Amino acid sequence: MAKRTRKRVEPRFADAGPGGLALRAEDRPAGGTARRRRKAGRERPAKARRRRGLLGWLVGRGIYWGAVLSLWGLIAALGLVAYYGVQLPHASTWKVPQRPPNVQIVALDGSLIGNRGDTGGEAVRLRDLPDHVPNAVIAIEDHRFRSHFGLDPIGLSRAVMRNAVAGRLVEGGSTLTQQLAKNMFLTPARSLERKVQEVLLALWLETKYSKDEILELYLNRVYFGAGAYGIDAAAHRYFDKEAAQLTLQEAAVLAGVLRAPSNYGPNRHPERARARAALVIDAMEREGFIGRRQALAAKADPVRVASRHNDRSENYVADWVMDRLPSYVGNLDSDIIVHTTIDLDLQRRAEWALVEGLNAEGEKLGVSQGAIVAVDGTGAVRALVGGRNYAKSQYNRAVQARRQPGSAFKPFVYLAALEAGLTPNTIRVDEPVRFGNWSPKNYSKEYRGPVTLKTALAQSLNTISAKLAMEVGPRKVVQTAHRLGIGSDLAANASIALGTSEVSLLELTGAYAPFANGGFAVTPHVVQDIRTAKGKVLFRRPGPGISRAVDLRSVAMMNEMLAETLAVGTGKRAGIPGWPAAGKTGTSQDFRDAWFIGYTSNLTAGVWLGNDDNRPTKKASGGTLPAEIWSAFMARAHEGVPVAALPGTAFFQTYAATQPRAVPIEPAAARSEQAALPPTAFAPQDGMAREEQSPAGGRTLMDLILGR
């Protein structure tokens, strides 16, 4: 039977009323203790509940205000986005700006001479690159690139925390898409406005283009330092190769450069670049792009930076092409390819001859600079070296410099005389002469008396050249030089005979070409055709464009005389073993310029030596170092080429046997022209065009270079 429990009823007076007497539980002997226990038991849970209630209230209020603040923060952020967003053009007008066009300049065989333009390289397709090139960039710059939507919240949060801990900007948190947006659309200024706009543009790019398209745009536009924009430009700049040929280690170096091109450029900071590349390789391994074995092999493979990219002589050609380009195609709106006439083998042989010659003898002769030009019988420039070292000086002395040619101008005087009826066997007297207040003197200060024109030209006798110029008239000499290809203004005075008017090496060399090709004037040129990257022809040279400027009889006689210069005259050091050759030395006033211009039936080449500040050399003449450099280059240029005689040789041998040895002196027309010249035309030019005679015996530069 269940035990019944009932509540105790305390006795009470019947008429006690609400305030009357009555017994209570605590009035019992043990009632107080029990009551206190029950009261204490009720108080403890109440305090705990109150404490828990306070904590809950605080948490609740925190959540509430956190939500409120977050909401307001979101509203503020959206407001900023809206405010800065309206500063941008309407989204319907957004489009990826066109990449600045690249000009790819190639040699005769298609080999790259150089890239020119704002980028320094051509645009490449992602599919044409080895996988390790884009993977290296993704691994170190944005390893969640394939999965995020243009923004990387995880990476951004981590960057914020690291920057807060460091107290400075140590990590950017920008994705590749954001970087692309910044590079294409925005300025590099660090500001909240630019960052907001960068985010908006990144989101737009992600909706407009695929990941591969974004990556391709990025690789073709990002700056890699040293003036290289895009992966192809960087590959050429640092490794002298196309982007498609980059190795894993080279790709890692280029990816490492992106963080700070000025700090990690392998050309300036090789150790920093190597350490940074190791981090890139570790990241590629961590992301699963490469295995452990590949990573170790890549780290052990030393990267070799191309040391000659900036100092190669082909850069002079590329610059010249860019100067000429507007006259062919005008403004560019796409990548183009310029096919030139340059033979890279000849180009490098010309550079070798010039640099070796200056290194061997330049300091002794007080010569610091030089230039070489070589053209074929059509005027196509096969080699052009504008200076000793392109990296140190981009001034093109072959094209831009105009200097006095000295006696190298005399062939035009002699040609004018031959065309007036004289021959190589014509006699003239080498003696003191005076024209007005000018009295030209020979280099040796000696006079030989009666000599043939052949001997006079070979020995570079100034008196005979001056006499001939006055016989035919200075204006006739100027006309003859212009007809053969000299484009510079020439002063028609007596001293024109000794080369006092300034010309460029390019035009002077081109003006000798008619002697080598049988009498046809040429226009020196380097551009053969120009095409777009897709193959559309924008310009094509319409044939050789040559015309007869000298009859074969005169060509034959000039070749006979100029060959004598190399055989027994001032140009003896310029001989080419086994090859018929001809040419002329030249030395300007006070030995400021030294020239040798010569030719075979295969090639015409010119050499100039001097100083950019026009200071005199230490008696460097055309018959010394210039002749030796010319010989060294031409000997190498003719290796394996079938030997051929100079034009008109057979004609001359037949013709010369029937000619008299003298003709009347000073035709009446020449005398009348001389009388018409003002006295100021005969400027004093003592010491002008003095030629140093080639010493017999001794080892020449050619002997030293060829080890003879």
Side-chain angles (χ1 to χ4, degrees), residues 423-425 454 552-561 563-564 580 644-660:
T423 74
N425 292 329
K454 180 195 292 188
L552 188 58
R553 167 184 173 275
S554 297
V555 169
M557 290 189 288
M558 286 300 302
N559 285 341
E560 179 71 13
M561 291 192 293
E564 189 80 352
L646 293 171
T649 302
F651 175 90
F652 177 79
Q653 291 173 347
T654 302
Y655 177 83
T658 64
Q659 299 305 303

Side-chain angles (χ1 to χ4, degrees), residues 276-335:
R276 179 71 176 163
L279 294 178
V280 175
I281 292 170
D282 289 340
M284 294 179 72
E285 181 186 0
R286 186 169 57 250
E287 296 301 318
F289 291 134
I290 58 174
R292 183 62 178 168
R293 182 174 298 178
Q294 284 179 286
L296 292 174
K299 290 181 182 179
D301 182 24
V303 171
R304 296 172 181 83
V305 177
S307 59
R308 278 185 43 78
H309 177 81
N310 273 352
D311 62 0
R312 292 183 310 190
S313 66
E314 297 97 292
N315 286 297
Y316 289 112
V317 175
D319 289 351
W320 182 34
V321 167
M322 290 302 295
D323 288 340
R324 301 288 303 142
L325 200 58
S327 64
Y328 296 122
V329 296
N331 294 329
L332 299 177
D333 56 9
S334 64
D335 288 2

Side-chain angles (χ1 to χ4, degrees), residues 411-412 414-416 418-419 479-485 511-522 547-559 647:
F412 308 118
Y414 279 76
L415 175 60
L418 295 181
E419 292 178 335
Q479 292 170 2
T480 301
H482 283 161
R483 190 174 80 241
L484 265 68
Y512 270 63
F515 302 139
N517 68 16
F520 296 92
V522 303
S547 60
R548 179 166 289 280
V550 187
D551 63 81
L552 188 58
R553 167 184 173 275
S554 297
V555 169
M557 290 189 288
M558 286 300 302
N559 285 341

Side-chain angles (χ1 to χ4, degrees), residues 11 48 87 91-92 192 209 254 285 305 316 344 386 560-561 568 651:
Q87 311 299 321
S92 62
L192 181 59
Y209 298 95
L254 295 184
E285 181 186 0
V305 177
Y316 289 112
L344 274 184
E560 179 71 13
M561 291 192 293
V568 298
F651 175 90

Side-chain angles (χ1 to χ4, degrees), residues 7-64:
K7 184 178 179 181
R8 179 185 293 272
V9 178
E10 300 295 341
R12 178 183 179 86
F13 291 100
D15 56 351
L21 297 174
L23 291 176
R24 294 175 294 181
E26 53 267 30
D27 293 331
R28 295 182 178 277
T33 302
R35 177 63 178 171
R36 285 192 295 271
R37 287 176 180 172
R38 284 194 299 272
K39 186 177 180 180
R42 286 194 302 269
E43 288 177 351
R44 282 196 295 270
K47 290 180 180 179
R49 283 195 298 272
R50 284 196 295 272
R51 285 195 297 270
R52 287 197 298 269
L54 178 61
L55 180 60
W57 181 84
L58 291 175
V59 170
R61 302 309 289 176
I63 293 174
Y64 170 79

Side-chain angles (χ1 to χ4, degrees), residues 122-360:
E122 61 182 307
V124 296
R125 301 303 302 271
L126 190 63
R127 64 172 178 262
D128 296 329
L129 295 172
D131 290 341
H132 53 251
V133 173
N135 287 344
V137 174
I138 291 173
I140 196 65
E141 288 292 313
D142 185 5
H143 66 95
R144 279 184 287 271
F145 171 73
R146 295 288 183 184
S147 61
H148 64 59
F149 54 91
L151 303 180
D152 183 6
I154 298 175
L156 185 60
S157 300
R158 184 182 65 248
V160 170
M161 292 182 63
R162 289 185 178 178
N163 293 336
V165 170
R168 58 188 177 88
L169 185 64
V170 295
E171 187 172 333
S174 293
T175 64
L176 290 182
T177 315
Q178 287 177 263
Q179 293 180 42
L180 178 62
K182 178 184 66 176
N183 291 338
M184 289 196 303
F185 299 105
L186 304 172
T187 66
R190 293 176 178 268
S191 67
L192 181 59
E193 177 182 3
R194 198 221 69 191
K195 195 67 178 178
V196 170
Q197 293 176 342
E198 174 188 303
V199 168
L200 292 174
L201 290 166
L203 294 174
W204 175 79
L205 285 170
E206 288 281 345
T207 61
K208 189 76 173 178
Y209 298 95
S210 69
K211 288 291 186 179
D212 281 351
E213 289 172 330
I214 291 173
L215 188 57
E216 185 175 290
L217 286 170
Y218 179 87
L219 290 173
N220 279 309
R221 294 169 186 258
V222 70
Y223 184 55
F224 286 90
Y229 289 85
I231 191 70
D232 185 67
H236 284 293
R237 172 62 187 86
Y238 294 119
F239 306 117
D240 200 17
K241 60 172 60 174
E242 297 179 1
Q245 300 172 330
L246 289 170
T247 66
L248 172 58
Q249 175 71 337
E250 290 166 346
V253 169
L254 295 184
V257 166
L258 294 173
R259 181 178 182 181
S262 61
N263 289 337
Y264 297 109
N267 59 326
R268 299 177 59 187
H269 305 289
E271 289 304 314
R272 293 183 195 173
R274 183 191 60 77
R276 179 71 176 163
L279 294 178
V280 175
I281 292 170
D282 289 340
M284 294 179 72
E285 181 186 0
R286 186 169 57 250
E287 296 301 318
F289 291 134
I290 58 174
R292 183 62 178 168
R293 182 174 298 178
Q294 284 179 286
L296 292 174
K299 290 181 182 179
D301 182 24
V303 171
R304 296 172 181 83
V305 177
S307 59
R308 278 185 43 78
H309 177 81
N310 273 352
D311 62 0
R312 292 183 310 190
S313 66
E314 297 97 292
N315 286 297
Y316 289 112
V317 175
D319 289 351
W320 182 34
V321 167
M322 290 302 295
D323 288 340
R324 301 288 303 142
L325 200 58
S327 64
Y328 296 122
V329 296
N331 294 329
L332 299 177
D333 56 9
S334 64
D335 288 2
I336 64 170
I337 303 172
V338 181
H339 295 268
T340 71
T341 60
I342 295 294
D343 183 326
L344 274 184
D345 181 58
L346 293 182
Q347 177 74 23
R348 286 160 186 167
R349 293 183 184 208
E351 180 184 8
W352 164 84
L354 178 67
V355 173
E356 288 296 316
L358 288 174
N359 288 344

